[in-house]
C-alpha cells in the first residue's frame, strides 16, 4: 500500500522547502509530502553556504539568475521581517586591489545598474577605510542592500507554516528515494505516490533525473569550499561583507570576509574539486562520485582550461599560510593568529559536455515530474522567486 499525496517534493533544502511553502499557499487544501534522506533539514548546501543575502549585482542582465535574485531578495527580506527570522542588511564592499581589478569593477558596476541593484556607489581608497579601517583597496563598490541571514532558520519557518496551512502535509526525514516509476517513489520508508513530483536534490539532481529516465546534457561535479573564521578577539576588524573582484572566467566569488548572523566572521571559501559529493573534509573520498566525475569529458575539459587556477586553489586547501596570503590582498595586517579552521561546504556545479560551467538556473519538466537540475548561488537568496517559477509550471 502506498502513501498518497497530491504533491511530493524530494529534498528538504531551501529550494525544496520554499517550493513546498509556495505550493501550499497556492493550494491550501492539497496535501504535500516532503521527503528528505537526512535526519534533519538543510544539511548540505543550505546549511553550509555563507549565509549571504545577495543583491544581484554580478549576474548577466536579463538572465534567470539576475531576475530571480532581485525578486527573491525582496521576497526573502519581507518573509524574514514578517516571520521573525534573524537577518541583517549589513551591506557589501567589493574591493579592487589592482588596476586590472579596477577595470573589472567597472563591468560589475554596469551590470548592477542594468540589473536594478539599488543604491550602489563607488568608494575611493579613503572611503573604503572609513567603512572598513583594516581593508585596503584602490577602489570599491558599496552595495547597501546585501546582507546575511540564517537559511536553516528560514527552512524551519517554511516547515512550520506548511504544516499550519495543512495538517495533512508531512515532512518525512531519513527517507531515501531508491526508484521512480509511474508517479511512484520507492523509498527506504515505503512507496509514495503523487500527481506531481518535484525534485530539488542539489548535489544529486543529475542522478535523480537519470532515475526518472530524463535526458540531461550536464553532470553535477562537486566543488568543496573550505572556510576559516576570525578568532573572537579579531572580529572587530570586519564590519560589512567584504569581497574581492571575482575572476570573470571562474564563477566562484573568491575568498571573502563574511559576518555571520551569530556574530562570527568567516573567511573563505576556496573552491577545489571534491572527490565526494557530500565530502566536507580535505581527505573525503567516494569511489562512485570520483569515478563519475573523472570519466566525464566535461570535467577534464574544465581542468585543462583552468589547471593553473585549480592548482592555486588546491594549495590553499592544504596551507593556512597561503590562505592568509590570499586574505592579505585586502587586509594586509591579517596574521596566522587571526584565523582558525571553520567548516566546509560542497557546491553542486553543473558542467556541460564541453566543460562549461552551467551558470544559470536550470529546471526541466515532463508530464508528471519537475527536476531542478542546477541551482547554484544565489539560489538561497532567490529561493522564493525560484519557487514561484516551479509552481507556475504545475
Amino acid at each position: 500500500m502506498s502513501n498518497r499525496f497530491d504533491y511530493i517534493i524530494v529534498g528538504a533544502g531551501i529550494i525544496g522547502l520554499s517550493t513546498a511553502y509556495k505550493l501550499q499557499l497556492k493550494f491550501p487544501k492539497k496535501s504535500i509530502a516532503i521527503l528528505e534522506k537526512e535526519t534533519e533539514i538543510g544539511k548540505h548546501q543550505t546549511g553550509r553556504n555563507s549565509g549571504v543575502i545577495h543583491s544581484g549585482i554580478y549576474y548577466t542582465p536579463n538572465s534567470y539568475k539576475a531576475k530571480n535574485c532581485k525578486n527573491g531578495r525582496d521576497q526573502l527580506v519581507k518573509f524574514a521581517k514578517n516571520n521573525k527570522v534573524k537577518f541583517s542588511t549589513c551591506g557589501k564592499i567589493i574591493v579592487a586591489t589592482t588596476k586590472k581589478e579596477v577595470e573589472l569593477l567597472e563591468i560589475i558596476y554596469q551590470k548592477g545598474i542594468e540589473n536594478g541593484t539599488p543604491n550602489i556607489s563607488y568608494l575611493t581608497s579613503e572611503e573604503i577605510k572609513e567603512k572598513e579601517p583594516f581593508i585596503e583597496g584602490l577602489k570599491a563598490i558599496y552595495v547597501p542592500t546585501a546582507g546575511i541571514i540564517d537559511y536553516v532558520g528560514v527552512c524551519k519557518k517554511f516547515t512550520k507554516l506548511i504544516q499550519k496551512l495543512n495538517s495533512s502535509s508531512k515532512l518525512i526525514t531519513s527517507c531515501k528515494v531508491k526508484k521512480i516509476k509511474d508517479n511512484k517513489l520507492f523509498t527506504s520508508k515505503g512507496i509514495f505516490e503523487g500527481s506531481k513530483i518535484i525534485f530539488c536534490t542539489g548535489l544529486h539532481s543529475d542522478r535523480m533525473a537519470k532515475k526518472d529516465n530524463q535526458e540531461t546534457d550536464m553532470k553535477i561535479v562537486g566543488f568543496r569550499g573550505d572556510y576559516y573564521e576570525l578568532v573572537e578577539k579579531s572580529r572587530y576588524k570586519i564590519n560589512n561583507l567584504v569581497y574581492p573582484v571575482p575572476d570573470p572566467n571562474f564563477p566562484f566569488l573568491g575568498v571573502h570576509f563574511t559576518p555571520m548572523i551569530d556574530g562570527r566572521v568567516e573567511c573563505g571559501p576556496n573552491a577545489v574539486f571534491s572527490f565526494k559529493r557530500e565530502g566536507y573534509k580535505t581527505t573525503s573520498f567516494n569511489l562512485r562520485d570520483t569515478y563519475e566525475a573523472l570519466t566525464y569529458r566535461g570535467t577534464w575539459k574544465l581542468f585543462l582550461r583552468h589547471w593553473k587556477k585549480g592548482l592555486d586553489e588546491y594549495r590553499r586547501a592544504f596551507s593556512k599560510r597561503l590562505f592568509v596570503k590570499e586574505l592579505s590582498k585586502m587586509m594586509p595586517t591579517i596574521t596566522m593568529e587571526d584565523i582558525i579552521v571553520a567548516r566546509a561546504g560542497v557546491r553542486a556545479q553543473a558542467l556541460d559536455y564541453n566543460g562549461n560551467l552551467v551558470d544559470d538556473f536550470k529546471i526541466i519538466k515532463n508530464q508528471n515530474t519537475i527536476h531542478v537540475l542546477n541551482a547554484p548561488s544565489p539560489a538561497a537568496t532567490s529561493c522564493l522567486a525560484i519557487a514561484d517559477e516551479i509552481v507556475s509550471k504545475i
Side-chain angles (χ1 to χ4, degrees):
M1 185 179 151
S2 65
N3 300 291
R4 172 82 200 174
F5 289 85
D6 294 303
Y7 302 114
I8 298 173
I9 311 277
V10 181
I14 199 155
I15 301 298
L17 287 166
S18 60
T19 301
Y21 169 64
K22 284 293 182 105
L23 204 52
Q24 197 73 85
L25 278 177
K26 188 171 182 180
F27 305 111
K29 292 182 180 177
K30 302 281 190 183
S31 60
I32 302 171
I34 305 151
L35 310 184
E36 170 54 50
K37 71 182 175 66
E38 303 294 351
T39 55
E40 57 192 83
I41 64 175
K43 280 276 282 186
H44 296 291
Q45 291 185 104
T46 299
R48 290 178 173 271
N49 65 38
S50 54
V52 172
I53 303 173
H54 288 285
S55 61
I57 192 169
Y58 299 106
Y59 313 118
T60 304
N62 296 315
S63 67
Y64 198 60
K65 266 188 180 184
K67 287 185 277 194
N68 281 278
C69 186
K70 187 172 187 302
N71 174 5
R73 184 212 166 273
D74 294 344
Q75 287 198 54
L76 182 65
V77 168
K78 186 178 178 182
F79 179 87
K81 284 177 180 173
N82 291 343
N83 292 283
K84 295 182 172 58
V85 177
K86 285 180 79 175
F87 81 102
S88 169
T89 309
C90 57
K92 175 197 286 186
I93 298 173
I94 306 166
V95 182
T97 58
T98 66
K99 286 183 179 178
K100 186 183 176 185
E101 286 181 356
V102 170
E103 291 170 18
L104 293 172
L105 207 63
E106 308 281 344
I107 297 167
I108 293 168
Y109 189 86
Q110 283 310 122
K111 282 183 178 178
I113 296 296
E114 288 183 58
N115 289 337
T117 306
N119 304 321
I120 58 173
S121 59
Y122 282 122
L123 300 178
T124 63
S125 294
E126 294 74 25
E127 288 168 331
I128 293 169
K129 283 281 188 191
E130 285 170 22
K131 289 191 179 294
E132 294 289 346
F134 293 88
I135 297 296
E136 289 187 12
L138 301 176
K139 193 175 183 179
I141 300 171
Y142 179 53
V143 188
T145 54
I148 51 175
I149 195 166
D150 173 10
Y151 281 117
V152 174
V154 174
C155 287
K156 287 175 179 174
K157 186 59 71 171
F158 285 150
T159 307
K160 283 181 183 174
L161 292 171
I162 290 160
Q163 290 169 337
K164 190 176 177 182
L165 285 161
N166 188 335
S167 58
S168 299
S169 294
K170 307 286 181 202
L171 168 66
I172 300 142
T173 55
S174 304
C175 183
K176 189 171 183 178
V177 174
K178 297 176 177 178
K179 184 177 159 187
I180 305 163
K181 190 179 180 183
D182 302 329
N183 280 26
K184 290 180 182 174
L185 298 176
F186 296 79
T187 79
S188 55
K189 286 201 168 177
I191 301 167
F192 291 82
E193 191 173 358
S195 59
K196 283 279 187 286
I197 304 170
I198 303 162
F199 294 87
C200 306
T201 51
L203 285 154
H204 300 280
S205 62
D206 56 340
R207 289 176 178 169
M208 281 297 166
K210 193 174 179 182
K211 276 185 175 157
D212 193 28
N213 297 313
Q214 296 297 301
E215 289 292 323
T216 65
D217 54 359
M218 43 139 282
K219 184 177 281 294
I220 294 295
V221 175
F223 284 86
R224 193 186 71 253
D226 304 300
Y227 291 88
Y228 284 82
E229 65 177 74
L230 292 179
V231 294
E232 194 170 351
K233 66 177 184 178
S234 300
R235 290 176 188 169
Y236 71 94
K237 293 184 177 184
I238 288 291
N239 302 314
N240 305 261
L241 296 158
V242 179
Y243 278 61
V245 175
D247 182 339
N249 301 311
F250 208 64
F252 306 104
L253 291 176
V255 174
H256 45 267
F257 294 95
T258 313
M260 305 297 284
I261 209 74
D262 60 6
R264 294 178 303 113
V265 178
E266 287 191 337
C267 319
N270 56 359
V272 296
F273 171 75
S274 178
F275 290 90
K276 184 179 180 182
R277 290 198 186 193
E278 293 171 359
Y280 303 115
K281 296 177 182 174
T282 50
T283 54
S284 292
F285 179 82
N286 176 278
L287 186 59
R288 180 191 175 191
D289 294 350
T290 303
Y291 178 80
E292 283 187 10
L294 295 184
T295 54
Y296 181 56
R297 192 176 87 165
T299 307
W300 287 104
K301 287 206 162 192
L302 177 78
F303 285 174
L304 289 168
R305 203 176 298 143
H306 296 295
W307 67 270
K308 191 172 184 299
K309 182 84 173 174
L311 206 58
D312 288 344
E313 293 286 331
Y314 253 109
R315 286 190 186 119
R316 273 199 294 277
F318 288 93
S319 171
K320 182 179 179 180
R321 182 182 62 80
L322 290 176
F323 213 101
V324 169
K325 188 180 176 183
E326 188 68 16
L327 290 168
S328 71
K329 289 177 183 177
M330 295 190 294
M331 187 188 283
T333 59
I334 195 166
T335 68
M336 297 270 279
E337 288 69 43
D338 281 321
I339 63 170
I340 52 172
V341 173
R343 64 205 173 100
V346 177
R347 169 176 170 149
Q349 178 61 58
L351 272 188
D352 71 17
Y353 197 58
N354 292 313
N356 299 310
L357 298 144
V358 181
D359 191 42
D360 217 349
F361 301 140
K362 185 163 185 175
I363 301 165
I364 61 170
K365 179 193 176 193
N366 78 352
Q367 195 174 354
N368 298 308
T369 60
I370 292 172
H371 291 263
V372 180
L373 285 180
N374 193 46
S377 179
T381 301
S382 311
C383 64
L384 289 162
I386 296 170
D388 289 334
E389 289 280 343
I390 295 167
V391 172
S392 74
K393 294 179 185 295
I394 293 171

